[in-house]
Amino acid sequence: MAFPFDINQIFLERVTLLDQTLVAGNRKSTERPDLLEHIVTVIDELGRASAKAQQLTTPITSASKLQSQKHQLYLLKDVESHRGHGMVVGFLKVGYKKLFLLDRQGVHIEAEPMCVLDFYIAENFQRHGYGSELFDFMLQHNNLEPVLMAYDRPSPKFLSFLAKKYWLTQSVPQVNNFVVFEGFFLNKTVAQLRKVPLKKPDGEIKPYAVMEREVVNQEQRALPWPFPLPHSPQRSVSSQSSNSLSVGSSPSRVPLQVTSASAVAGNRDSPQSPLTERCRARRTSSLNRSKLGFH
Ligand code: ACO
């Protein structure tokens, strides 16, 4: 991804970590106000490209969102290309999220794992090992293993990537958009797992996290699962906060992910019997597994 300015001047390292401050490296943006402007342009452009690649209706990554959320964005550049001005190869956005998850036995567990929230490698750089390079950098930087992370509605390519590079194939069925794999619940220290009672003082817990990629669609809500959904445009609600189960929602992919997303989002607000939840969880899991065959 080329820009009309020198990428190597802005991002000094091959991998740059950006956070809320939008400062690349340890340079002060007050010294070079133009740097900040360029960084904003790069992040917004990457966010748009990622959304397009994932068929999302709205980008889930932008400079303004990064400023308002405690996320880490790893940006990878290629130094040599674009006549020595460098090109941006892609990015990986991660962050901690409080999630209600179901373990293998279907017990609700509260956890706050590091989550992969957005991941994109520019089309002409894909399948050349750049994704692995970026992902490995992030793992090393956070001293993490892929199995201890949660994945926010991973795309078929990403599921294939996780299976190929990290042997993550067996997901544990969930009723929200996040995917966790076998082994996640074994490490209690890192995942900070906690069993949660089914009843809270203020009512039943809602495991259906309203997350950045989720969509609340009136049309879908009207249809009780498992009736098929019409292929209609998705309506999205923009996200404001990153670390809450009850605020904000996000664009969804269309049309590939509509079925799995809607199976969750479409029923999020209505009470479900445990049996229905189990059925739905199993269905989400098999959908995720079938995505692995995507090429
Ligand atoms: N079809 C199927 N699998 C693919 C594809 C594809 N078109 N592209 C990459 N992969 C998987 C395969 O397992 C592939 O191995 P193979 O070529 O031996 O079959 C492996 O990824 C390649 O590994 P890398 O080269 O290290 O990864 P890459 O640089 O291609 O980056 C990524 C992977 C980020 C998933 C990239 O393909 C991409 O940007 N895709 C479009 C956007 C996207 O789907 N992002 C994930 C969103 S979900 C989320 O962020 C939680």
Side-chain angles (χ1 to χ4, degrees):
M1 195 177 265
F3 289 89
F5 41 80
D6 195 331
I7 287 297
N8 289 327
Q9 289 278 312
I10 299 164
F11 305 108
L12 302 181
E13 308 295 331
R14 184 170 168 83
V15 178
T16 298
L17 174 58
L18 291 161
D19 62 11
Q20 276 180 311
T21 62
L22 300 190
V23 173
N26 48 17
R27 289 190 293 183
K28 293 192 182 74
S29 53
T30 43
E31 289 166 11
R32 291 275 310 272
D34 58 313
L35 286 185
L36 183 62
E37 200 181 308
H38 291 334
I39 289 170
V40 167
T41 303
V42 169
I43 297 172
D44 287 350
E45 190 59 39
L46 281 170
R48 276 192 293 272
S50 179
K52 193 174 171 207
Q54 297 175 60
Q55 300 175 43
L56 299 173
T57 50
T58 315
I60 47 176
T61 299
S62 67
S64 62
K65 282 182 180 178
L66 194 60
Q67 279 179 308
S68 65
Q69 296 166 330
K70 282 187 179 165
H71 295 158
Q72 301 173 356
L73 190 149
Y74 294 86
L75 185 144
L76 177 66
K77 71 167 184 179
D78 179 55
V79 184
E80 311 293 336
S81 49
H82 201 45
R83 297 183 306 278
H85 294 303
M87 278 173 105
V88 176
V89 172
F91 76 99
L92 171 62
K93 190 173 78 173
V94 296
Y96 287 99
K97 280 199 179 276
K98 204 168 268 185
L99 302 175
F100 286 106
L101 299 167
L102 297 175
D103 70 8
R104 257 283 164 236
Q105 284 70 44
V107 175
H108 284 114
I109 303 279
E110 189 182 338
E112 195 166 358
M114 181 69 99
C115 301
V116 176
L117 306 169
D118 205 359
F119 190 18
Y120 172 72
I121 297 293
E123 274 69 15
N124 48 330
F125 287 105
Q126 285 177 21
R127 285 189 140 158
H128 286 82
Y130 289 107
S132 314
E133 181 183 345
L134 201 47
F135 206 85
D136 285 341
F137 186 98
M138 177 278 297
L139 291 175
Q140 209 176 346
H141 186 252
N142 289 290
N143 195 20
L144 267 175
E145 289 172 45
V147 72
L148 299 176
M149 302 185 74
Y151 300 89
D152 186 2
R153 202 189 293 180
S155 66
K157 285 184 185 181
F158 190 30
L159 286 170
S160 163
F161 172 91
L162 290 171
K164 179 88 183 246
K165 306 287 176 180
Y166 304 104
W167 306 285
L168 295 177
T169 52
Q170 299 297 311
S171 61
V172 181
Q174 299 301 322
V175 287
N176 55 31
N177 288 326
F178 282 79
V179 170
V180 291
F181 293 90
E182 290 280 6
F184 177 89
F185 296 98
L186 297 179
N187 191 319
K188 294 195 168 35
T189 48
V190 180
Q192 297 166 341
L193 309 177
R194 190 163 71 83
K195 282 186 186 179
V196 287
L198 274 176
K199 291 275 181 190
K200 278 190 162 181
D202 54 345
E204 202 158 355
I205 68 159
K206 288 183 180 154
Y208 316 109
V210 184
M211 290 302 176
E212 287 176 81
R213 285 159 188 268
E214 242 172 45
V215 66
V216 178
N217 190 301
Q218 297 295 342
E219 193 178 69
Q220 293 169 9
R221 249 195 268 176
L223 288 169
W225 182 87
F227 296 119
L229 294 152
H231 291 280
S232 58
Q234 301 295 292
R235 192 165 62 83
S236 63
V237 184
S238 66
S239 171
Q240 296 299 322
S241 170
S242 63
N243 213 13
S244 163
L245 294 175
S246 56
V247 285
S249 66
S250 71
S252 77
R253 277 185 203 101
V254 286
L256 181 66
Q257 300 292 329
V258 167
T259 322
S260 69
S262 59
V264 174
N267 291 280
R268 198 175 53 247
D269 298 333
S270 56
Q272 298 291 323
S273 74
L275 181 63
T276 311
E277 280 190 17
R278 290 279 179 89
C279 290
R280 212 144 45 79
R282 246 181 258 132
R283 183 165 166 270
T284 308
S285 172
S286 68
L287 265 171
N288 287 332
R289 273 196 294 275
S290 71
K291 286 176 193 167
L292 287 171
F294 178 92
H295 281 280

